[in-house]
């Protein structure tokens, strides 16, 4: 295994970020909490990465519109300066997340660059390796097949997957999780992380053995499919997640609670809802009984659920309501498109 890019200058991998502004002092103090200043730089970088991910959320509106930066208000969100991000306004995009992380790395004398045209991530070099830090991308954990960004993983107490070293071996270039490199990491970074599967099974056992356990929104029926969706609902209500993280969490719970054959009967549809002047990101889920989908939500027969958006937890809805929500989401996109067209004239 050879460290990738060790003979190349760091600036070949991106652009140096030279901030003229900084986050608020309380925000800085929280990101630097329990920082192992007497340890090595990779421990400091990892602790900053984990702390930052714990206190920011991925932007709801940017997610709802698939990071379409041709839309003016999304471009403004994307370009939000780092001094505007705080505990009361903690939604980030890949761009301001990367700028925030670079700010903290540079503050602690760790040179870094920002890479990417639309999607941004951070590169820095430490301990002989070139590291890539990407907190906002959905990344697969090969240990348990769960796919989430590290902003979500941090809220669930799971091991991060988005801080990796780039290496080359006989099979070509690949990324290795910083925790798997065997580097001497400070105790402040060495948590006993559970896998997603193990953590979920522990919580399910706890819920099922709790005499106060009640299904919150989905009626109790002698139906194993509805029972699984009921469990997902109660697991969601156990967590304090944003809509973006809620949807990612739900999709991974489905992989655990439903067999591979049952998963073939499930389809998903991302939609938008509007609350005041804000857009919310939601997901419709359909279980089509014995019929296999191709995940296109072309048929609303069977059981329909909504996750995220204006609702809390997982709520079962009628097929008529599901169709109406799909139509309203399309109408929101059309109205925004017309508004943008008028603005550009």
């Amino acid at each position: 295994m050879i460290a990738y890019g060790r003979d190349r200058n760091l600036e070949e991998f991106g652009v140096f970020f030279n901030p003229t502004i900084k986050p608020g002092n309380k925000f800085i103090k929280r990101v630097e909490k329990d920082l192992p200043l007497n340890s090595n730089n990779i421990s400091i970088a990892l602790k900053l990465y984990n702390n930052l991910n714990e206190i920011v959320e991925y932007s709801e509106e940017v997610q709802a519109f698939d990071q379409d930066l041709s839309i003016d208000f999304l471009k403004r969100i994307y370009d939000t300066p780092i001094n505007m991000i705080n505990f009361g306004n903690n939604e980030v995009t890949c761009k301001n997340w990367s700028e925030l992380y670079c700010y903290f790395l540079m503050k602690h004398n760790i040179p870094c660059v920002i890479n990417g045209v639309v999607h941004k991530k951070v590169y820095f070099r430490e301990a002989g390796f070139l590291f890539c830090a990407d907190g906002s991308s959905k990344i697969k954990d090969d240990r348990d097949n769960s796919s989430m960004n590290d902003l979500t993983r941090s809220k669930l107490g799971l091991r991060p997957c988005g801080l990796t070293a780039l290496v080359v071996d006989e099979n070509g270039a690949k990324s290795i999780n910083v925790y798997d490199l065997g580097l001497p990491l400070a105790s402040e970074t060495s948590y006993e992380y559970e896998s997603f599967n193990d953590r979920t099974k522990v919580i399910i056992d706890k819920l099922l053995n709790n005499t106060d356990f009640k299904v919150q929104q989905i009626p109790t029926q002698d139906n194993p499919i509805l029972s699984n969706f009921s469990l997902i609902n109660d697991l969601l209500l156990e967590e304090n997640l944003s809509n973006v993280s809620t949807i990612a969490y739900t999709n991974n719970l489905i992989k655990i609670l439903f067999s591979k054959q049952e998963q073939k009967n499930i389809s998903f549809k991302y939609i938008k809802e509007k609350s005041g002047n804000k857009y919310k990101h939601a997901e419709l889920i359909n279980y089509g009984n014995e019929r296999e989908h191709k995940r296109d939500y072309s048929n609303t027969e069977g059981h329909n659920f909504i996750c995220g958006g204006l609702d809390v937890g997982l709520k079962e809805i009628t097929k008529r309501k599901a169709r109406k929500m799909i139509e309203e989401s399309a109408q929101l996109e059309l109205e925004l498109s017309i508004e943008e067209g008028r603005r550009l004239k």
Side-chain angles (χ1 to χ4, degrees), residues 1-239:
M1 182 177 70
I2 302 172
Y4 175 79
R6 60 182 180 179
D7 297 324
R8 296 169 60 184
N9 294 325
L10 185 60
E11 54 263 36
E12 294 182 49
F13 296 96
V15 178
F16 286 104
F17 175 60
N18 297 308
T20 57
I21 52 178
K22 67 176 186 177
N25 290 332
K26 289 184 179 179
F27 191 92
I28 292 173
K29 185 176 180 180
R30 175 59 183 84
V31 175
E32 294 181 333
K33 182 181 178 182
D34 299 327
L35 205 59
L37 294 175
N38 294 324
S39 184
N40 49 43
N41 276 353
I42 187 57
S43 294
I44 292 173
L46 178 54
K47 186 63 177 175
L48 289 169
Y49 179 83
N50 289 342
N51 283 356
L52 176 61
N53 290 339
E54 286 177 5
I55 59 176
V56 295
E57 305 277 3
Y58 193 78
S59 172
E60 185 75 36
E61 295 182 285
V62 171
Q63 178 73 31
F65 288 94
D66 297 322
Q67 200 165 297
D68 182 358
L69 300 184
S70 66
I71 302 175
D72 185 60
F73 85 94
L74 290 189
K75 183 69 166 62
R76 292 196 300 271
I77 295 172
Y78 181 81
D79 286 331
T80 299
I82 61 174
N83 66 321
M84 297 299 292
I85 296 169
N86 51 55
F87 296 115
N89 179 33
N90 68 338
E91 290 194 352
V92 297
T93 65
C94 60
K95 181 177 185 290
N96 35 52
W97 180 91
S98 295
E99 292 175 351
L100 278 168
Y101 189 52
C102 272
Y103 167 81
F104 285 103
L105 288 178
M106 293 169 61
K107 186 172 184 287
H108 293 277
N109 301 311
I110 301 174
C112 55
V113 294
I114 295 178
N115 171 279
V117 178
V118 175
H119 178 68
K120 308 287 186 181
K121 49 192 172 182
V122 175
Y123 284 91
F124 64 94
R125 197 190 307 278
E126 280 300 332
F129 292 98
L130 179 69
F131 284 93
C132 175
D134 188 352
S136 62
S137 283
K138 183 187 292 185
I139 297 174
K140 179 181 175 183
D141 186 341
D142 292 331
R143 299 183 308 163
D144 53 31
N145 205 36
S146 61
S147 296
M148 290 177 280
N149 64 41
D150 278 352
L151 305 187
T152 298
R153 285 192 176 93
S154 67
K155 314 301 186 295
L156 297 171
L158 299 172
R159 189 179 81 156
C161 293
L163 182 54
T164 59
L166 306 181
V167 301
V168 179
D169 61 16
E170 63 274 10
N171 298 316
K174 63 179 182 179
S175 299
I176 296 182
N177 192 308
V178 62
Y179 283 102
D180 295 331
L181 288 171
L183 297 175
L185 298 175
S187 60
E188 290 87 345
T189 69
S190 301
Y191 305 112
E192 291 295 325
Y193 287 114
E194 295 178 290
S195 73
F196 182 82
N197 293 5
D198 291 340
R199 178 187 182 278
T200 303
K201 288 173 183 174
V202 168
I203 299 175
I204 289 174
D205 289 341
K206 175 184 172 184
L207 282 173
L208 292 178
N209 291 322
N210 184 349
T211 55
D212 295 328
F213 174 75
K214 295 178 181 178
V215 176
Q216 300 293 327
Q217 295 180 28
I218 302 169
T220 302
Q221 298 184 30
D222 186 19
N223 181 319
I225 300 302
L226 284 182
S227 293
N228 281 344
F229 281 114
S230 296
L231 267 179
I232 291 174
N233 174 59
D234 280 86
L235 286 165
L236 289 174
L237 296 176
E238 285 281 301
E239 309 290 355

Side-chain angles (χ1 to χ4, degrees), residues 285-302:
I285 303 170
N286 175 266
Y287 189 90
N289 298 324
E290 301 302 321
R291 170 181 47 78
E292 288 192 8
H293 284 273
K294 292 189 178 178
R295 295 178 177 261
D296 59 359
Y297 223 98
S298 59
N299 193 322
T300 54
E301 298 296 330

Side-chain angles (χ1 to χ4, degrees), residues 245-341:
S245 292
T246 289
I247 292 168
Y249 186 41
T250 299
N251 292 344
N252 283 286
L253 288 172
I254 285 172
K255 295 177 186 176
I256 293 178
L257 294 173
F258 291 91
S259 69
K260 289 186 178 179
Q261 183 59 42
E262 288 170 336
Q263 289 176 43
K264 293 180 181 179
N265 299 335
I266 298 175
S267 63
F268 305 89
K269 175 75 174 179
Y270 291 116
I271 63 168
K272 303 162 190 60
E273 293 188 280
K274 194 171 184 181
S275 176
N277 294 322
K278 296 285 187 179
Y279 293 91
K280 293 282 188 178
H281 177 230
E283 181 179 69
L284 294 177
I285 303 170
N286 175 266
Y287 189 90
N289 298 324
E290 301 302 321
R291 170 181 47 78
E292 288 192 8
H293 284 273
K294 292 189 178 178
R295 295 178 177 261
D296 59 359
Y297 223 98
S298 59
N299 193 322
T300 54
E301 298 296 330
H303 298 286
N304 293 279
F305 306 90
I306 183 167
C307 170
L310 305 179
D311 289 284
V312 176
L314 186 71
K315 181 179 179 182
E316 186 170 14
I317 58 177
T318 65
K319 62 182 180 181
R320 178 178 295 180
K321 177 67 173 176
R323 290 171 184 160
K324 182 180 179 182
M325 297 182 87
I326 292 171
E327 292 170 359
E328 289 175 345
S329 178
Q331 183 64 30
L332 283 176
E333 287 200 60
L334 178 61
E335 289 173 0
L336 189 62
S337 176
I338 293 171
E339 182 182 324
E340 286 295 309

